[in-house]
PDB file of all heavy atoms in Angstrom:
ATOM      1  N   SER Z 313      14.927 -17.078 -17.015  1.00 98.00           N
ATOM      2  CA  SER Z 313      15.123 -16.147 -15.901  1.00 98.00           C
ATOM      3  C   SER Z 313      14.296 -14.903 -16.183  1.00 98.00           C
ATOM      4  O   SER Z 313      13.897 -14.652 -17.332  1.00 98.00           O
ATOM      5  CB  SER Z 313      16.595 -15.752 -15.782  1.00 98.00           C
ATOM      6  OG  SER Z 313      16.983 -14.978 -16.904  1.00 98.00           O
ATOM      7  N   GLY Z 314      14.075 -14.125 -15.146  1.00 98.00           N
ATOM      8  CA  GLY Z 314      13.356 -12.874 -15.321  1.00 98.00           C
ATOM      9  C   GLY Z 314      14.082 -11.951 -16.292  1.00 98.00           C
ATOM     10  O   GLY Z 314      13.451 -11.230 -17.077  1.00 98.00           O
ATOM     11  N   SER Z 315      15.405 -11.962 -16.228  1.00 98.00           N
ATOM     12  CA  SER Z 315      16.189 -11.119 -17.134  1.00 98.00           C
ATOM     13  C   SER Z 315      15.934 -11.516 -18.588  1.00 98.00           C
ATOM     14  O   SER Z 315      15.701 -10.660 -19.452  1.00 98.00           O
ATOM     15  CB  SER Z 315      17.684 -11.265 -16.838  1.00 98.00           C
ATOM     16  OG  SER Z 315      17.982 -10.916 -15.515  1.00 98.00           O
ATOM     17  N   GLU Z 316      15.974 -12.808 -18.850  1.00 98.00           N
ATOM     18  CA  GLU Z 316      15.709 -13.275 -20.219  1.00 98.00           C
ATOM     19  C   GLU Z 316      14.280 -12.960 -20.641  1.00 98.00           C
ATOM     20  O   GLU Z 316      14.027 -12.676 -21.815  1.00 98.00           O
ATOM     21  CB  GLU Z 316      15.922 -14.786 -20.315  1.00 98.00           C
ATOM     22  CG  GLU Z 316      17.365 -15.214 -20.308  1.00 98.00           C
ATOM     23  CD  GLU Z 316      17.492 -16.721 -20.468  1.00 98.00           C
ATOM     24  OE1 GLU Z 316      16.473 -17.396 -20.729  1.00 98.00           O
ATOM     25  OE2 GLU Z 316      18.608 -17.219 -20.326  1.00 98.00           O
ATOM     26  N   ASN Z 318      12.645 -10.374 -19.796  1.00 98.00           N
ATOM     27  CA  ASN Z 318      12.608  -8.954 -20.162  1.00 98.00           C
ATOM     28  C   ASN Z 318      13.395  -8.655 -21.429  1.00 98.00           C
ATOM     29  O   ASN Z 318      13.059  -7.719 -22.156  1.00 98.00           O
ATOM     30  CB  ASN Z 318      13.051  -8.096 -18.974  1.00 98.00           C
ATOM     31  CG  ASN Z 318      11.905  -7.918 -17.986  1.00 98.00           C
ATOM     32  OD1 ASN Z 318      10.791  -7.585 -18.395  1.00 98.00           O
ATOM     33  ND2 ASN Z 318      12.155  -8.164 -16.716  1.00 98.00           N
ATOM     34  N   TYR Z 347      13.604  -2.445 -11.233  1.00 98.00           N
ATOM     35  CA  TYR Z 347      14.519  -3.568 -11.473  1.00 98.00           C
ATOM     36  C   TYR Z 347      13.861  -4.569 -12.411  1.00 98.00           C
ATOM     37  O   TYR Z 347      12.759  -5.044 -12.144  1.00 98.00           O
ATOM     38  CB  TYR Z 347      14.919  -4.274 -10.168  1.00 98.00           C
ATOM     39  CG  TYR Z 347      15.993  -5.313 -10.415  1.00 98.00           C
ATOM     40  CD1 TYR Z 347      17.329  -4.935 -10.565  1.00 98.00           C
ATOM     41  CD2 TYR Z 347      15.677  -6.658 -10.546  1.00 98.00           C
ATOM     42  CE1 TYR Z 347      18.318  -5.870 -10.844  1.00 98.00           C
ATOM     43  CE2 TYR Z 347      16.658  -7.602 -10.823  1.00 98.00           C
ATOM     44  CZ  TYR Z 347      17.980  -7.200 -10.960  1.00 98.00           C
ATOM     45  OH  TYR Z 347      18.959  -8.133 -11.234  1.00 98.00           O
ATOM     46  N   HIS Z 348      14.543  -4.877 -13.510  1.00 98.00           N
ATOM     47  CA  HIS Z 348      13.996  -5.837 -14.465  1.00 98.00           C
ATOM     48  C   HIS Z 348      14.991  -6.926 -14.830  1.00 98.00           C
ATOM     49  O   HIS Z 348      14.766  -7.679 -15.771  1.00 98.00           O
ATOM     50  CB  HIS Z 348      13.501  -5.104 -15.716  1.00 98.00           C
ATOM     51  CG  HIS Z 348      12.435  -4.094 -15.413  1.00 98.00           C
ATOM     52  ND1 HIS Z 348      11.181  -4.461 -14.976  1.00 98.00           N
ATOM     53  CD2 HIS Z 348      12.443  -2.733 -15.426  1.00 98.00           C
ATOM     54  CE1 HIS Z 348      10.456  -3.364 -14.750  1.00 98.00           C
ATOM     55  NE2 HIS Z 348      11.199  -2.308 -15.016  1.00 98.00           N
ATOM     56  N   GLY Z 349      16.118  -6.993 -14.089  1.00 98.00           N
ATOM     57  CA  GLY Z 349      17.089  -8.037 -14.344  1.00 98.00           C
ATOM     58  C   GLY Z 349      18.449  -7.475 -14.693  1.00 98.00           C
ATOM     59  O   GLY Z 349      18.667  -6.259 -14.631  1.00 98.00           O
ATOM     60  N   GLU Z 420       7.081  -2.537 -12.452  1.00 98.00           N
ATOM     61  CA  GLU Z 420       6.662  -3.570 -11.508  1.00 98.00           C
ATOM     62  C   GLU Z 420       5.444  -3.030 -10.760  1.00 98.00           C
ATOM     63  O   GLU Z 420       5.449  -1.862 -10.358  1.00 98.00           O
ATOM     64  CB  GLU Z 420       7.770  -3.842 -10.488  1.00 98.00           C
ATOM     65  CG  GLU Z 420       9.112  -4.243 -11.060  1.00 98.00           C
ATOM     66  CD  GLU Z 420      10.266  -3.815 -10.140  1.00 98.00           C
ATOM     67  OE1 GLU Z 420      10.514  -4.496  -9.138  1.00 98.00           O
ATOM     68  OE2 GLU Z 420      10.904  -2.781 -10.411  1.00 98.00           O
ATOM     69  N   ASP Z 453       5.782  -5.996 -14.969  1.00 98.00           N
ATOM     70  CA  ASP Z 453       6.791  -6.993 -14.612  1.00 98.00           C
ATOM     71  C   ASP Z 453       6.344  -7.683 -13.330  1.00 98.00           C
ATOM     72  O   ASP Z 453       6.454  -7.140 -12.234  1.00 98.00           O
ATOM     73  CB  ASP Z 453       8.158  -6.326 -14.443  1.00 98.00           C
ATOM     74  CG  ASP Z 453       9.269  -7.341 -14.182  1.00 98.00           C
ATOM     75  OD1 ASP Z 453       8.956  -8.461 -13.719  1.00 98.00           O
ATOM     76  OD2 ASP Z 453      10.441  -7.008 -14.422  1.00 98.00           O
ATOM     77  N   VAL Z 455       7.518 -10.456 -12.031  1.00 98.00           N
ATOM     78  CA  VAL Z 455       8.494 -11.461 -11.588  1.00 98.00           C
ATOM     79  C   VAL Z 455       8.445 -11.655 -10.068  1.00 98.00           C
ATOM     80  O   VAL Z 455       8.564 -12.783  -9.586  1.00 98.00           O
ATOM     81  CB  VAL Z 455       9.911 -11.102 -12.087  1.00 98.00           C
ATOM     82  CG1 VAL Z 455      10.961 -11.998 -11.452  1.00 98.00           C
ATOM     83  CG2 VAL Z 455       9.973 -11.251 -13.615  1.00 98.00           C
ATOM     84  N   ILE Z 456       8.232 -10.583  -9.313  1.00 98.00           N
ATOM     85  CA  ILE Z 456       8.090 -10.728  -7.852  1.00 98.00           C
ATOM     86  C   ILE Z 456       6.619 -10.841  -7.447  1.00 98.00           C
ATOM     87  O   ILE Z 456       6.248 -11.695  -6.641  1.00 98.00           O
ATOM     88  CB  ILE Z 456       8.744  -9.540  -7.118  1.00 98.00           C
ATOM     89  CG1 ILE Z 456      10.271  -9.691  -7.152  1.00 98.00           C
ATOM     90  CG2 ILE Z 456       8.246  -9.458  -5.662  1.00 98.00           C
ATOM     91  CD1 ILE Z 456      11.029  -8.528  -6.527  1.00 98.00           C
ATOM     92  N   ALA Z 481       8.575 -15.044 -13.510  1.00 98.00           N
ATOM     93  CA  ALA Z 481       9.713 -15.936 -13.203  1.00 98.00           C
ATOM     94  C   ALA Z 481       9.570 -16.382 -11.746  1.00 98.00           C
ATOM     95  O   ALA Z 481       8.505 -16.831 -11.349  1.00 98.00           O
ATOM     96  CB  ALA Z 481      11.046 -15.236 -13.460  1.00 98.00           C
ATOM     97  N   LYS Z 482      10.604 -16.216 -10.977  1.00 98.00           N
ATOM     98  CA  LYS Z 482      10.644 -16.487  -9.527  1.00 98.00           C
ATOM     99  C   LYS Z 482       9.571 -17.454  -9.002  1.00 98.00           C
ATOM    100  O   LYS Z 482       9.771 -18.652  -9.011  1.00 98.00           O
ATOM    101  CB  LYS Z 482      10.649 -15.164  -8.771  1.00 98.00           C
ATOM    102  CG  LYS Z 482      11.924 -14.352  -9.092  1.00 98.00           C
ATOM    103  CD  LYS Z 482      12.176 -13.181  -8.201  1.00 98.00           C
ATOM    104  CE  LYS Z 482      13.574 -12.627  -8.450  1.00 98.00           C
ATOM    105  NZ  LYS Z 482      13.617 -11.237  -8.855  1.00 98.00           N
TER     106      LYS Z 482
HETATM  107  C1  PLP U 938      14.450 -10.690 -10.067  1.00 57.25           C
HETATM  108  C2  PLP U 938      13.731  -9.840 -11.026  1.00 57.25           C
HETATM  109  C3  PLP U 938      13.999  -9.901 -12.395  1.00 57.25           C
HETATM  110  C4  PLP U 938      15.141 -10.687 -12.951  1.00 57.25           C
HETATM  111  O1  PLP U 938      15.008 -12.051 -12.756  1.00 57.25           O
HETATM  112  P1  PLP U 938      16.289 -13.000 -12.860  1.00 57.25           P
HETATM  113  O2  PLP U 938      15.685 -14.365 -12.790  1.00 57.25           O
HETATM  114  O3  PLP U 938      17.176 -12.660 -11.695  1.00 57.25           O
HETATM  115  O4  PLP U 938      16.946 -12.736 -14.142  1.00 57.25           O
HETATM  116  C5  PLP U 938      13.196  -9.172 -13.245  1.00 57.25           C
HETATM  117  N1  PLP U 938      12.207  -8.409 -12.792  1.00 57.25           N
HETATM  118  C6  PLP U 938      11.936  -8.302 -11.478  1.00 57.25           C
HETATM  119  C7  PLP U 938      10.795  -7.448 -11.028  1.00 57.25           C
HETATM  120  C8  PLP U 938      12.699  -8.996 -10.550  1.00 57.25           C
HETATM  121  O5  PLP U 938      12.463  -8.869  -9.252  1.00 57.25           O
END
Side-chain angles (χ1 to χ4, degrees):
S313 67
S315 301
E316 286 182 8
N318 280 312
Y347 187 79
H348 300 293
E420 303 151 79
D453 185 338
V455 171
I456 285 177
K482 297 192 170 122

